[in-house]
Amino acid sequence: MQVGNARYLKPGDLPESVVVFPLSGALLLPGAQLPLNIFEPRYLAMFDAAIAGNRLVGIVQPALSEPADSTNLSHVGCLGRITSIAETGDGRYIVALTGICRFRLMDEITGHQPYRTFRITPFISDLKSHHEEDTVDRAALLSAFRAYLEANKLEADWESVERADNMMLVNSLSIMAPFDPAEKQALLEAPDLKTRAETFIAIVKIVLAGSGDTDSLLQ
């Protein structure tokens, strides 16, 4: 997988440990981008360290079933490369992370930095997931997306949507959709692209059923 100026093709291209940014409701997936507004001093320091090193940051949600003040994290996150960073002039960074592959958190590496670092086990299959392109029911995915937009009176750049390949489409829609943290985690942990697309469609149907607006999905 080509991400920015780097290629990640095999286990040796990935780090054994990574700095981790815990962020509730955030989702990063392979090949897609996640915009971030960094302002807390500890995370500014973390991104400084990442830029000075391998430019890699892990995005992980806090553990879903625990109190908000818990330090425990979800077991699966996604590794991203900093492909864009800008200083705002008021002490913040505006960052774009591009997803490389998912990973499973292992043990935490203790140190004196204000941020957290973990050893990880990468999902190597994500580096070659383009072979899953033909497994996605693109028509059903776009139908669900269109129904969601109509129900919420939103618009989309359909030219960009039509140009996107299935991997980019599924992963980008999953990131952009304002689903709750548990639904985001379900999309992240879907075992393959086909299942992620089906999960996205299922979540949209549940959301629309809750709002009483399912007509467009039934057409």
Side-chain angles (χ1 to χ4, degrees):
M1 176 180 289
Q2 179 83 33
V3 179
N5 292 330
R7 290 172 64 83
Y8 303 94
L9 304 175
K10 57 187 186 301
D13 296 331
L14 300 170
E16 294 182 357
S17 62
V18 66
V19 295
V20 165
F21 188 15
L23 196 57
S24 180
L27 177 63
L28 180 62
L29 289 165
Q33 284 199 342
L34 176 67
L36 295 171
N37 177 19
I38 310 300
F39 55 88
E40 287 190 45
R42 57 179 167 168
Y43 296 128
L44 291 169
M46 184 180 74
F47 275 83
D48 284 341
I51 285 290
N54 55 19
R55 300 178 71 92
L56 301 180
V57 174
I59 297 294
V60 183
Q61 290 203 98
L64 299 176
S65 59
E66 301 192 17
D69 59 353
S70 172
T71 61
N72 292 333
L73 302 175
S74 296
H75 296 300
V76 176
C78 188
L79 186 65
R81 180 177 174 88
I82 300 170
T83 47
S84 173
I85 185 167
E87 295 179 315
T88 62
D90 60 1
R92 293 178 294 123
Y93 290 156
I94 302 299
V95 175
L97 281 185
T98 302
I100 299 170
C101 70
R102 294 168 297 164
F103 60 80
R104 189 172 299 279
L105 281 181
M106 306 304 287
D107 53 310
E108 185 167 4
I109 300 172
T110 57
H112 300 293
Q113 301 89 351
Y115 48 84
R116 303 173 73 180
T117 302
F118 285 80
R119 291 186 176 86
I120 61 171
T121 299
F123 290 29
I124 301 301
S125 60
D126 284 352
L127 301 180
K128 301 179 181 179
S129 57
H130 279 285
H131 70 276
E132 302 174 12
E133 289 271 340
D134 295 337
T135 66
V136 174
D137 186 341
R138 187 180 180 96
L141 180 69
L142 290 177
S143 176
F145 180 49
R146 186 176 288 107
Y148 185 86
L149 292 177
E150 291 175 355
N152 290 278
K153 297 180 173 57
L154 300 173
E155 297 183 357
D157 179 356
W158 284 104
E159 285 190 19
S160 297
V161 169
E162 293 297 337
R163 287 198 303 268
D165 60 33
N166 283 345
M167 177 181 169
M168 180 62 70
L169 183 63
V170 172
N171 290 349
S172 294
L173 292 183
S174 297
I175 288 173
M176 292 186 297
F179 297 148
D180 67 31
E183 292 164 339
K184 292 280 190 179
Q185 195 67 23
L187 289 164
L188 175 67
E189 296 187 17
D192 51 45
L193 195 65
K194 178 177 183 290
T195 307
R196 184 171 299 127
E198 292 170 347
T199 302
F200 180 91
I201 293 168
I203 293 172
V204 168
K205 287 183 177 180
I206 291 170
V207 170
L208 294 183
S211 66
D213 190 351
T214 56
D215 291 346
S216 54
L217 277 177
L218 296 176
Q219 292 176 4

